[in-house]
Amino acid sequence: MPPFLIALYGNLLNGAILGAVYGMMTMGLSLIFGVLRIVNVGHGAFIMVGAYTAFFLFTLYGIPPLLAVPFSFIIGMGLGALFFYTVIKRLIDSPELTTLLATFSFGVLLEEVAKLLWGPDYRGFNWEVGSLHLPFVTIPLEKLYAFLASVSMALILYIWFKKGRSGMAIRAIMEDREGASCCGINVDGMYGLSFSIGIALTVASGSLLTLFIPVGIHPYMGGIYTLKAFVIAVLGGLSSPWGAFFGGFIFGLVENGAYSLFGLVPGLEPFSMTYFAAFLILLILLLIRPEGLLGANGG
Amino acid sequence: MRQYIPFLPVVAIYGTLFLTGLLLEGMWQPMALLAFYGALGQVFNIFLGLTGYVDFGYVAFLAIGSYGMAIAASSLYEDLGWWIVPTGFVLAFIMASFLSIAVGAIALRLKGAYFAIATIGVSEGLRYLIEGTGLWGGSMGIIVSRPLREAFGREGANSLSTFWADSILYGIALVAAFITLMILKSRAGYAFLAMREDEEAARVMGIDTTRYKLLAFFISASLGGLIGASAWTLKMNYVFPSDVFDIVYTIEAIIIVLLGGSGTLLGPLVGGLVYGALKYWLAVTFPGLQLLLFAPLILVIIVAFPQGIIGILRERMGSAFRGVIL
Amino acid sequence: MKIRVLLLSILLILPSIATAGEAILIGGPISLSGKYAKEGEQGFIGFKVAEKWVNEVYGGVRIGNRRVPIRYVYYDDESKKENVTSLVERLIKVDGVRFLLAPYSSGLTLAGAPVAEKYGALYMSHGGASDRIFEQGFRYVVQTIGPASSYQRSVVDMVKAIDPSARRVALLFEDSEFSRTVMMGVKGYLKEKGMKIVFERAYPRNVKDLTPVLTEMKARRPEILLGGGHFADGQLLAKQMGDLGVDVKAASILVAPTLPAFAKTLGKEANGFIAPAHWEKGVRFNRENSKGIGLGYFGPSQEWFIREFKKESGGLEPEYHAANAMASILAYVKAIELAGTTDVDRVRDAMDRLHFVPFYGEWKIDPETGKQVGHKMILIQWQKGRKEIVWPEEAQTARPCYPMASCPGR
């Protein structure tokens, strides 16, 4: 194979694996938007919390990062509930302005508390479990684990959403809030539940992310993930967690595949151009298909 | 003349800031910081306050304006001498206007959260376009200290950066406040009010909502470009893309408007004063902890006083005062 | 509400706690929060330790036959340029500081420069490395940190000395003002030395996955890698080079390998990585070996500095940001003594003549621009989990291991 194709193939494979983690990372954002119509601008800060959880469990107690995921999920539930009942509950029908600012402020608060507790240092760890050798490429096994864990978590969520009692209630609210409330669904309680689960998924994805990128754990690490999550969420239709999961896949593929293509143009920095391309796609999609690539809406 | 009375408190406050800076030792820069926040809020309010749309990528207009000035200063100083500054402002205005028309024509079709996300996309995308293609110096940016020194001399360049750049900011803030007043008092003001309440209904009633939104967007953006040109390029003497496309400025603008009272004339100014003073005071008294203290404060304000300081004042005061405070 | 606004404005106008009787005020804005909080913390403690040495050990600045203590004054700038200008003015006009310490980073340093220039206060850059600051024609801006363009040059010298046949160089760096200046500084030098650049790419700030660019680089089979930018990306670069099996003979990465966290995270994969540094624990500058240089040695010993730094910070290890910071204050003290006065213009003139060695290494500026020309970068390399100084030869604590794969412990 010519070197360009080998590189493209390697990049696409990497993109697919990373894409699953990206998808997982965005499901919480979409769930919260789908149910409460709130964009969580502090998204990245919750990812940061998950990354620190994995880091401390591994370095202090030797717990492998994969097993940190349930811990992070529980921490996320707690944080989500706290944030919901102190702030979000009072803002449900407020204009975007207030909810955007509230989620942003909560994110800043988390970052500053993290800095106070754990200092401004960059942390990281090294969990070595070997590599998988495929033709032309080598894939570290921990990345593969992250991929599998993301896919299985998405599946569990899917089953809960389709079959679980509370999952169905939440779907009903997404379709029609007044109607759901008439059918005897406790709308406020379900808001709290979906917000907490949304945050919990985000925190858990932060732990998964450390399998992929175990370095650079830092109080302010989340910003770029917030931006990526926005693009991914729009790819998936913004209000659909499944759409978001597949959006993550597509994003991972585009981001990595576009690198090879931009690299062919002299005078361009292909890496920055992939970021540019991502935001360009975001704009185009918002204009022509705001319901997302898959047209999925509300699950 | 009665309709201009609400403008008096605005002039009085900016005048006080200006004189305090001029007369008290060491107060010029802190007052200029307050004026920066006031101007930022005033200009941002024209769009956010009047339409209720949240432009989360607003900083792009300040950034593009700062590039306008930097391009004029760094490439034309040999031919134009001191004319680079007016040329820079014209260029900043034009570039910001073009961007606002392009973005407005596209993104203003979107509503609510979709609009907010689209505008973040514009701002971040533009930044990576500049870095990725190496446009305008790419990530190296443009430094204009040397050109300004060549054009104005040492003393001239120093006073341009430490006095005139700030004074121009006061001017921009006043112009923005005046435009806000004119809009609020005109027919357009009622159109905006109707739109904010219910855009669909307003459209049905025959209000050309797209035109009004675009108008507010355009005014807000082009004035924002002038702020970037003055407060960043002229004052700081450098433009690095990672510095000027910083989402924090958008957030600050939102906080200021919300704090003071969105859609009011005096709100952004009061919000800017309180925000700027609070931050400065926290930086001086609790170095390193100000963000930790600030974030919960914002949360409390959002939950307890969503209508902002001026909003509360207007509610509490008798009707006689409502004519004065807008 | 009005009353609150009024109260705040009164608080604003109140001057800070009265200036101490007779002390030379040295100070500046420092990033204790925001994106430069980490580097700011190091610099901040470095300044505190310097203040302590000058007052308690040295006995104050010698002016005529008097000994005058110094006092370090600071405010947090939150890593934001707007805050820098007003804090610099406050320091000059309200606190009366005439000897300023610029904030961290080239951008923030540029932001405060016009204010310092206007009031004619000296403005010492300890964390603004960009050469471009010193091409702007400022008079009162002087530099202690070595200029960015010099960072990666000594790596080229080292490789040429060990392996004259090495030619293929890859440049892979963060897309920021700082790292681009570094790379532009080394590109010309590489050509001069007959090396060939086979790969050159920048990656954006905040990058989280370098797989595509490393795959592309691997295919070009470079022998030497020069790259990096700041800490997070540099560590990611080293980590993913290991993951993808990118094998080069020498890899020099900016910033990241100089910090202990680098090896703590990467374990044995850290061994072999090289980084340029301004200062490193174990650099041997002392009274004896600095006799031939200008005014000779000045300041505490390295051991004293490390001990006091740990005490002041509650156990942190000093990094070169701290050493830069301390050297800046020592340079002020020495320049004031040389001028025999605290008159700013005379101190600035004295700085042109100042040539001395603190524990940090030589200090000498270019009189024309204020740029640091005396200071030389050293190279560190991780070997067997320890950070060794491998270049220049006279400062070595260990011989460099080359090629990288031969490094003990790797």
Side-chain angles (χ1 to χ4, degrees), chain C residues 18-136:
Chain C
T19 39
E22 208 212 4
I24 299 170
L25 300 176
I26 300 179
I30 185 107
S31 305
L32 295 176
S33 54
K35 59 187 170 203
Y36 303 130
K38 166 132 192 61
E39 296 84 349
E41 183 188 34
Q42 283 277 333
F44 174 64
I45 300 163
F47 290 134
K48 294 283 243 189
V49 171
E51 181 189 30
K52 187 170 178 189
W53 183 82
V54 173
N55 293 342
E56 291 172 22
V57 180
Y58 185 60
V61 187
R62 205 188 308 259
I63 304 177
N65 10 351
R66 289 177 308 138
R67 301 299 290 257
V68 189
I70 63 166
R71 198 158 68 80
Y72 171 55
V73 195
Y74 68 96
Y75 301 111
D76 180 14
D77 60 36
E78 294 170 56
S79 317
K80 283 192 65 187
K81 53 185 184 292
E82 277 73 22
N83 300 342
V84 168
T85 51
S86 52
L87 293 175
V88 167
E89 180 171 80
R90 184 188 167 94
L91 283 155
I92 298 172
K93 300 304 280 187
V94 179
D95 298 313
V97 178
R98 311 230 66 73
F99 304 101
L100 291 162
L101 301 159
Y104 183 78
S105 89
S106 298
L108 297 186
T109 299
L110 275 168
V115 184
E117 284 281 310
K118 178 184 178 186
Y119 294 117
L122 275 170
Y123 191 63
M124 174 88 77
S125 162
H126 65 95
S130 177
D131 296 62
R132 296 200 291 164
I133 300 169
F134 301 90
E135 290 158 10
Q136 305 299 325

Side-chain angles (χ1 to χ4, degrees), chain C residues 163-175:
Chain C
D163 177 11
S165 71
R167 286 197 67 221
R168 302 172 64 84
V169 181
L171 303 178
L172 176 59
F173 49 94
E174 188 189 45
D175 205 354

Side-chain angles (χ1 to χ4, degrees), chain B residues 25-26 28-30 139-140 143 145-146 149 154 162 232 237-238 243 249 252 279-281 288 290, chain C residues 11-12 76 78 80-82 86 89-90 93 107 114 117-118 132 135-138 175 177 180:
Chain B
E25 279 287 292
W28 177 260
Q29 291 293 338
S139 62
M140 299 277 284
I143 302 180
S145 307
R146 156 87 45 198
R149 256 143 232 277
R154 244 177 71 80
T162 56
W232 289 347
N237 292 348
Y238 73 99
D243 255 45
Y249 294 104
E252 286 187 320
K279 277 198 43 158
Y280 185 73
W281 180 69
Q290 59 272 50
Chain C
L11 277 171
L12 266 173
D76 180 14
E78 294 170 56
K80 283 192 65 187
K81 53 185 184 292
E82 277 73 22
S86 52
E89 180 171 80
R90 184 188 167 94
K93 300 304 280 187
E117 284 281 310
K118 178 184 178 186
R132 296 200 291 164
E135 290 158 10
Q136 305 299 325
F138 294 125
D175 205 354
E177 204 269 342
R180 275 198 185 269

